């Protein structure tokens, strides 16, 4: 490559057949192609290659390695720290590998590595089934799954990785393998929580579960001042509720949308967003105790088709918003910790900003800490403090609130955090998150990616270098 030849031009020359799938600086679509979900991330890769097959991925890896370029792998582009994109490097964009095909005979779905959850939800809903994922349909299957995956169906059916049956992976040396319980079992273990450290997953196979035509879902809102009362109820109620009941707690502002009565618009509330896999009668009976807590402003639980539930917040958390993230795993909601939530929840810095506590008990606790790379199987909640606003001028205020909130609540945490809710917080934090699984992960990394080719992620360093 000469001083005047860009890496994108070289890629067009060296990757015949992919010329039209390559985007570089100066190309008309460059800004659109490099934009990720988080508007705070503004990175300028040298080349973006829109791959359509495992073969394209293998060739792009070889090309990047030949030019000593960093590789970022982009699934849905949702990662808070912008790990699907990298300055001056090569981005393997998987958006072109996005099929979701259900196999009704084996109750499974085969999903392309660049799919978003909406595509999967729509395909599985045809059969009244679902694979547990998150709470937003535009999130990528790739990043969410490889980090663990928690959402509305966690208590009933476990983490997303608990439904993973196998994955097709392109390794750092370009070879293609299938990882499952029987083939490359160590790789399969590491993929379930270890992030994009081990290769590029071009296809996932998930088990699907029965959810029927609709789940019973919707929020209960209370005045934000009643946060302590609600959280004290929540910490007792949910862990002892049947697994069919899921509810994540949110301190939030009611968005001004038709879904909610006008008098609640822009009011700060303490909320629980319920999802009950069961009939209307069951949901009414199981959630009856909720009505005895404080003075609810709204209890809006109703039958909702699963794909509609998954898309409910899509319009609120659109691409390009400024987003700042902080997170922790939490075992216990002590009165002291609740007091900090009360104080910081009232200081939400913008309409979109929120704090969520996602339950990770129920079926997620059936799997032992060492059975998958995701180590915090004993944690009760995954907390995320999410500062969000459309206006870049508010970026500092979002960050200050998140960091202040986290500083106040982190001393009560279990130690690590869910990797998918972290930004770039350094190696020690990654290690804390994998706890006893970390050393084993470094050995799998040394076997499958000894040169740490895949390091634009929450990085696990190969054993020899760790
Ligand atoms: C609005 C919003 C809501 C969210 N809600 C939830 C939620 O409810 N539950 C939850 O668990 N998480 C949630 N998340 C977090 C989400 O899981 C992470 O942001 C995740 O990293 C997104 O995956 P992605 O593929 O979209 O991201 P990307 O930015 O494309 O990728 C993230 C990381 O995964 C790697 N990666 C992605 N795909 C592949 C692949 N096919 N092969 C190898 N590596 C790959 C990338 O290299 C990168 O390191 C949410 C995020 C947002 C922005």
């Amino acid at each position: 490559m000469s001083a005047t030849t860009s890496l994108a031009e070289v890629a067009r020359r060296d990757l015949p057949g992919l010329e039209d799938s390559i985007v570089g600086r100066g190309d008309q679509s460059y800004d659109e192609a490099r934009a990720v979900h988080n508007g705070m991330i503004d990175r300028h890769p040298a080349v973006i290659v829109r791959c359509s097959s495992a073969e394209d991925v293998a060739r792009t890896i070889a090309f990047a390695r030949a030019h000593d370029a960093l590789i970022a792998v982009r699934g849905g582009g949702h990662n808070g720290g912008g790990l699907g994109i990298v300055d001056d490097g090569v981005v393997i964009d998987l958006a072109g590998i996005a099929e979701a095909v259900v196999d009704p005979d084996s109750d499974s779905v085969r999903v392309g590595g660049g799919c978003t959850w909406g595509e999967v939800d729509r395909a599985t809903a045809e059969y009244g089934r679902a694979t547990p994922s998150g709470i937003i349909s535009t999130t990528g299957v790739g990043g969410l799954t490889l980090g663990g995956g928690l959402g509305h169906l966690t208590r009933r059916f476990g983490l997303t990785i608990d439904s993973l049956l196998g994955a097709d992976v392109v390794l750092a040396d370009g070879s293609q393998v299938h990882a499952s319980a029987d083939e490359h079992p160590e790789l399969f273990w590491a993929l379930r929580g270890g992030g994009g450290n081990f290769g590029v997953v071009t296809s996932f196979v998930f088990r699907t579960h029965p959810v029927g035509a609709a789940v019973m879902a919707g929020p209960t809102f209370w005045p934000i001042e009643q946060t302590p009362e609600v959280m004290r109820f929540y910490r007792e109620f949910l862990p002892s509720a049947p697994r069919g009941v899921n509810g994540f707690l949110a301190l939030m502002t009611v968005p001004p949308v038709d879904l909610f009565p006008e008098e609640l618009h822009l009011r700060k509330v303490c909320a629980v967003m319920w999802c009950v896999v069961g009939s209307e009668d069951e949901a009414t009976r199981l959630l009856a105790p909720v009505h005895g807590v404080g003075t609810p402003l709204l209890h809006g639980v109703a039958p909702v088709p699963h794909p509609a539930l998954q898309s409910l917040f899509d319009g609120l958390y659109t691409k390009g918003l400024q987003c700042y993230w902080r997170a922790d795993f939490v075992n216990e909601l002590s009165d002291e910790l609740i007091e900090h939530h009360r104080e910081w929840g009232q200081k939400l810095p913008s309409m979109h900003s929120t704090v969520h506590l996602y339950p990770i008990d129920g079926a997620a606790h059936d799997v032992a800490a060492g059975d998958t790379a995701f180590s915090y199987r004993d944690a009760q909640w995954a907390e995320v403090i999410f500062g969000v606003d459309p206006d870049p001028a508010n970026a500092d205020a979002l960050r200050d609130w998140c960091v202040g909130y986290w500083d106040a609540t982190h001393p009560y945490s279990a130690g690590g955090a869910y990797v998918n809710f972290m930004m770039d917080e350094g190696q020690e934090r990654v290690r804390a998150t994998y706890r006893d699984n970390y050393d084993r992960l470094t050995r799998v990394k040394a076997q499958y990616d000894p040169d740490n080719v895949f390091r634009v992620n929450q990085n696990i360093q190969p054993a020899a270098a760790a």
Side-chain angles (χ1 to χ4, degrees):
M1 187 174 57
S2 78
T4 51
T5 315
S6 74
L7 195 59
E9 286 172 71
V10 178
R12 284 195 186 100
R13 186 195 66 204
D14 290 357
L15 295 172
L18 285 174
E19 298 89 343
D20 295 341
S21 308
I22 288 169
V23 182
R25 288 193 178 97
D27 289 337
Q28 218 178 6
S29 58
Y30 180 68
D31 282 336
E32 186 244 309
R34 73 184 180 85
V36 290
H37 193 268
N38 186 354
M40 269 189 203
I41 308 292
D42 182 24
R43 299 205 179 120
H44 294 79
V47 189
I48 299 164
V49 184
R50 293 172 159 152
C51 295
S52 305
S53 66
E55 188 53 32
D56 291 353
V57 171
R59 291 173 68 206
T60 306
I61 293 171
F63 172 80
R65 294 192 70 175
H67 292 276
D68 268 337
L70 274 175
I71 295 175
V73 180
R74 179 188 176 124
H78 258 223
N79 188 266
L83 294 172
I85 196 104
V86 65
D87 274 330
D88 303 320
V90 173
V91 176
I92 296 176
D93 186 336
L94 300 172
I97 309 179
E99 257 195 348
V101 181
V102 174
D103 177 3
D105 294 333
S106 61
D107 289 333
S108 66
V109 58
R110 175 174 286 278
V111 178
C115 246
T116 57
W117 279 105
E119 291 156 306
V120 183
D121 295 336
R122 280 190 293 277
T124 56
E126 299 265 316
Y127 301 88
R129 302 182 74 87
T131 293
S133 57
I135 64 154
I136 301 263
S137 84
T138 53
T139 305
V141 171
L144 181 136
T145 300
L146 296 170
L150 39 104
H152 291 300
L153 299 177
T154 303
R155 292 192 81 243
R156 180 68 184 85
F157 300 119
L159 302 179
T160 305
I161 48 173
D162 300 337
S163 293
L164 184 64
L165 299 172
D168 293 328
V169 191
V170 183
L171 301 176
D173 64 4
S175 58
Q176 299 173 31
V177 299
H178 183 72
S180 68
D182 303 321
E183 293 170 75
H184 296 273
E186 276 297 282
L187 176 61
F188 186 54
W189 174 85
L191 290 175
R192 286 175 292 162
N197 271 285
F198 306 95
V200 181
V201 179
T202 51
S203 171
F204 297 88
V205 179
F206 295 104
R207 184 179 297 121
T208 63
H209 306 270
V211 289
V215 292
M216 294 297 300
T220 310
F221 292 152
W222 291 266
I224 192 119
E225 297 75 19
Q226 293 179 9
T227 296
E229 201 174 339
V230 177
M231 286 185 94
R232 283 197 294 269
F233 161 76
Y234 178 74
R235 74 183 174 193
E236 303 298 331
F237 173 75
L238 198 68
S240 56
R243 291 176 174 201
V245 180
N246 206 92
F248 74 83
L249 186 132
L251 305 181
M252 57 174 280
T253 305
V254 179
V257 293
D258 290 346
L259 199 60
F260 304 119
E262 214 174 316
E263 65 271 18
L264 294 184
H265 289 181
L266 299 178
R267 182 159 176 177
K268 286 180 180 162
V269 294
C270 176
V272 179
M273 180 68 199
W274 305 104
C275 171
V276 178
V277 182
S279 68
E280 199 157 350
D281 285 351
E282 277 172 300
T284 304
R285 180 174 54 79
L286 292 168
L287 297 182
V290 170
H291 301 284
V293 183
T295 47
L297 300 165
L298 174 90
H299 181 73
V301 176
V304 187
H306 179 254
L309 172 63
Q310 292 292 106
S311 324
L312 214 54
F313 305 110
D314 290 2
L316 190 59
Y317 294 109
T318 49
K319 187 172 174 180
L321 295 173
Q322 305 283 304
C323 301
Y324 198 87
W325 300 68
R326 275 279 188 274
D328 270 317
F329 286 119
V330 180
N331 284 331
E332 200 192 327
L333 297 176
S334 67
D335 288 351
E336 237 177 70
L337 173 58
I338 287 175
E339 190 47 37
H340 290 296
H341 281 295
R342 187 197 61 76
E343 182 193 341
W344 283 90
Q346 299 199 37
K347 296 184 200 167
L348 289 166
S350 65
M351 189 272 283
H352 293 82
S353 296
T354 186
V355 174
H356 289 174
L357 284 173
Y358 293 92
I360 39 176
D361 61 336
H365 279 193
D366 289 347
V367 180
D371 286 356
T372 62
F374 185 101
S375 95
Y376 269 91
R377 291 288 181 168
D378 50 342
Q380 196 66 39
W381 284 283
E383 175 194 280
V384 61
I385 305 165
F386 194 33
V388 189
D389 194 67
D391 188 352
N394 290 335
D396 287 350
L398 302 177
R399 194 198 54 230
D400 291 351
W401 174 75
C402 283
V403 173
Y405 201 134
W406 188 82
D407 284 346
T409 51
H410 177 65
Y412 304 86
S413 78
Y418 175 40
V419 281
N420 276 341
F421 288 164
M422 283 161 61
M423 295 185 91
D424 182 4
E425 298 173 28
Q427 200 56 40
E428 277 316 303
R429 194 87 171 116
V430 176
R431 190 182 277 266
T433 284
Y434 290 111
R435 298 194 295 187
D436 293 347
N437 288 341
Y438 188 78
D439 288 345
R440 183 171 167 190
L441 281 165
T442 67
R443 291 194 294 275
V444 184
K445 179 77 170 176
Q447 186 183 347
Y448 286 95
D449 182 17
D451 299 321
N452 206 1
V453 168
F454 302 113
R455 60 179 179 275
V456 182
N457 44 42
Q458 301 293 351
N459 196 232
I460 291 157
Q461 290 167 13

